Amino acid sequence: DAFVLPSLWEGMSNALLEAMAMALPVAATRVDGNLDLVRDGETGILVERGSAEALAEAIACLADDPARARRMGRAGRDRVEREFSLDNTIRAYLRLYEELLAEKQVGTCNSLQYTNQGESGGTAQRPFPTSMSVHGCRRERPPWRSER
């Protein structure tokens, strides 16, 4: 058994992740999201998009060498468990949030509040806050947030 994904474009494919989690070796096209998931020659075989001949050759390669296909499938499952499990994803997000908060931390904090300052300096309704108070620490608009 193998999983074949002949995409012309692909984001982070849940189908590909699920196939790898089921220890299936992968034959897929070398496009955006697939490049992030499949390690060519280790967890599957990547081929140029649009090349039916190359894809057929990859499928035949997996069929002709079942031991190699099983090794690739196990390696894919190990990678998904190690790098893409729900627990690891949650931990990665929490680390990111903690790092971002640590960079912005100014003092003891205990609330979240947005403030919009109007043109005249008063409070006005705007789509994005000009500053915010996180846990009592005043913050100016983050540099990545721009007016619309």
Side-chain angles (χ1 to χ4, degrees):
D1 289 344
F3 180 76
V4 180
L5 190 63
S7 301
L8 296 176
W9 181 87
E10 195 70 51
M12 177 82 61
S13 171
N14 284 333
L16 184 52
L17 282 169
E18 290 170 4
M20 292 171 70
M22 295 301 298
L24 290 173
V26 172
T29 47
R30 190 176 279 114
V31 295
D32 297 325
N34 296 352
L35 291 168
D36 294 328
L37 301 177
V38 179
R39 298 263 166 86
D40 194 19
E42 181 184 332
T43 63
I45 301 171
L46 292 172
V47 301
E48 292 307 313
R49 72 177 177 175
S51 176
E53 297 81 19
L55 190 59
E57 187 177 321
I59 295 167
C61 180
L62 294 172
D64 291 344
D65 192 347
R68 180 178 183 217
R70 280 191 300 277
R71 281 193 305 276
M72 285 182 172
R74 283 192 302 270
R77 180 181 176 95
D78 291 346
R79 181 155 194 255
V80 167
E81 288 176 350
R82 187 177 58 251
E83 298 179 33
F84 299 101
S85 71
L86 180 59
D87 286 341
N88 286 338
T89 302
I90 290 169
R91 277 194 285 275
Y93 274 114
L94 288 175
R95 274 194 307 274
L96 174 64
Y97 296 151
E98 288 169 355
E99 289 170 12
L100 292 172
L101 286 172
E103 289 175 10
K104 302 292 181 185
Q105 193 68 32
V106 177
T108 305
C109 305
N110 59 14
S111 67
L112 173 63
Q113 180 180 7
Y114 289 104
T115 305
N116 290 319
Q117 296 296 321
E119 299 295 324
S120 64
T123 301
Q125 294 294 328
R126 297 172 87 181
F128 298 104
T130 55
S131 67
M132 75 178 178
S133 177
V134 177
H135 307 299
C137 305
R138 184 168 171 76
R139 313 250 191 262
E140 293 308 311
R141 174 189 298 279
W144 63 88
R145 299 287 299 271
S146 61
E147 287 291 326
R148 289 192 181 185

